[in-house]
Amino acid sequence: MASVSVDEAMRRAVELAARGLGATSPNPVVGCLLLDADGEVVGEGFHAYAGGPHAEIVALAQAGTRARGGTAVVTLEPCDHTGRTGPCSHALIGAGVAHVVVAVPDPNPVASGGAATLRAAGVQVTLGVRGAEAEAGNVAWLTSMRRGWPYLIWKYAATLDGRSAAADGTSMWITSEAARTDVHALRGTVDAVLAGVGTVLADDPRLTARNLRDGTLAIRQPLRVVVDSSGRTPLDARVRDGAARTWVATAAEVGAGPDGRVDLAALLAELHHRGVRAALLEGGPTLAGAFLAAGLVDRIVGYVAPKLLGAGPTALLDAGVTTIADAIDLEITDVTPVGPDLRITALPRKREA
């Protein structure tokens, strides 16, 4: 096999890391390539599931003795602590790796320090190669660890004129089966799915991740969270069906904001404490408005159907905007056709203080 450059190896490592999305939490996604002394790929791996071997360990196992004197190319700084697995920094040193190339430093104070340990052992360490790409692929975990609450995605479905249901309340199905399948794939990448009690009372959703081809449940299910200030979720609601874990978050348990409803910042902090690093907000329009008004939404994924209703509920209610100057500006990062619908991905722009 021909030798590859460190840059090429990191690009491949980023691709490998993505294979772990939705399965590694509360750990990050990580990819690793091992190059021998001649620059030939002798091992590669990714972190596949929490509690399983880390990417570096998988790659080292493939490389065997050919790792000695070689280069490890890793999307995240090798861990330096013993948890469910041992420190990857020590494993790299023990294998005789001469050079470790890292895309992004580890922001987790419990696990960071691998670069310093490697350097102290005489291993050359290079930081920042394809850092932006690795950041993008691990954005939810990195963001969550740096600030202490989950990366929050607001997902909605609406007609071209912004309606989430018709005037008579019917909403099945605004978007196509292709879009609904895409939503279930999105659910499979997060640790929790949030909905307000109003949505539960109106629509009785399951909030599970399913394979729409045959209706079967995905192996890994996100935590279902009902934001229910006064505990109105019925005992027979489908979110309580046992198909996945469910938490009915009340103001009495989480804490109340000035309006007497669940304190949303406290809710996210508690979810982070429970190991949630990425969460999907699915409904309804009042809860979405509250999260947006509080500046707690990190990404918006909208599924827009080529339909017009002209009346009926809107996808978003009060988001704290009273004049056009206060509008929440968005940076559109992707527009993709999904069946007959459009999936629009956008990031809320940070407002100047």
Side-chain angles (χ1 to χ4, degrees):
M1 182 182 294
S3 62
V4 300
S5 69
V6 164
D7 187 72
E8 291 172 320
M10 186 64 79
R11 180 173 57 188
R12 171 61 177 165
V14 170
E15 292 174 354
L16 287 170
R19 296 184 182 180
L21 279 173
T24 64
S25 192
N27 297 339
V29 294
V30 183
C32 177
L33 257 69
L34 255 295
L35 311 179
D36 66 11
D38 296 322
E40 183 178 330
V41 177
V42 292
E44 63 177 36
F46 67 96
H47 186 38
Y49 60 94
H54 290 189
E56 298 94 320
I57 305 306
V58 176
L60 284 170
Q62 290 183 12
T65 58
R66 295 186 68 184
R68 184 164 299 278
T71 298
V73 180
V74 195
T75 57
L76 186 70
E77 179 184 4
C79 65
D80 200 46
H81 83 302
T82 299
R84 283 183 282 187
T85 60
C88 292
S89 56
H90 294 193
L92 292 165
I93 292 167
V97 171
H99 185 196
V100 176
V101 179
V102 176
V104 181
D106 191 337
N108 182 0
V110 174
S112 63
T117 295
L118 289 164
R119 287 187 176 116
V123 178
Q124 179 186 355
V125 177
T126 301
L127 296 174
V129 175
R130 287 191 177 264
E133 291 178 35
E135 281 263 354
N138 209 10
V139 64
W141 186 88
L142 289 167
T143 301
S144 180
M145 294 307 302
R146 286 167 180 160
R147 70 185 185 193
W149 70 85
Y151 186 88
L152 184 64
I153 304 165
W154 172 43
K155 185 279 298 181
Y156 72 93
T159 60
L160 192 58
D161 56 342
R163 305 291 175 173
S164 60
D168 65 357
T170 55
S171 61
M172 296 174 65
W173 297 101
I174 282 181
T175 53
S176 64
E177 182 176 350
R180 299 195 298 276
T181 298
D182 201 64
V183 168
H184 281 278
L186 180 59
R187 285 181 184 175
T189 68
V190 300
D191 309 313
V193 176
L194 283 65
V197 66
T199 295
V200 171
L201 293 173
D203 300 334
D204 197 19
R206 291 186 177 91
L207 300 181
T208 51
R210 302 188 299 280
N211 181 341
L212 289 190
R213 294 183 181 86
D214 57 14
T216 58
L217 291 170
I219 295 174
R220 178 184 178 275
Q221 289 292 326
L223 172 68
R224 299 181 290 193
V225 181
V226 181
V227 184
D228 182 359
S229 296
S230 55
R232 295 185 292 145
T233 303
L235 293 178
D236 61 352
R238 290 199 288 189
V239 291
R240 297 186 187 268
D241 62 8
R245 295 174 299 136
T246 299
W247 176 35
V248 178
T250 63
E253 180 181 6
V254 177
D259 59 0
R261 297 177 178 178
V262 170
D263 184 316
L264 299 183
L267 171 70
L268 292 181
E270 175 59 25
L271 286 172
H272 185 271
H273 177 71
R274 295 183 181 210
V276 173
R277 302 295 178 255
L280 183 65
L281 172 61
E282 293 219 25
T286 300
L287 186 61
F291 270 110
L292 282 163
L296 297 173
V297 173
D298 296 295
R299 186 192 309 169
I300 298 167
V301 180
Y303 293 86
V304 180
K307 295 181 173 72
L308 297 173
L309 287 173
T314 59
L316 180 65
L317 292 176
D318 185 8
V321 176
T322 57
T323 181
I324 192 65
D326 295 333
I328 300 170
D329 291 323
L330 305 176
E331 176 190 354
I332 295 178
T333 59
D334 181 70
V335 178
T336 299
V338 180
D341 308 313
L342 284 182
R343 184 187 66 211
I344 301 173
T345 304
L347 307 177
R349 294 185 187 274
K350 300 301 181 183
R351 294 178 177 176
E352 298 294 333

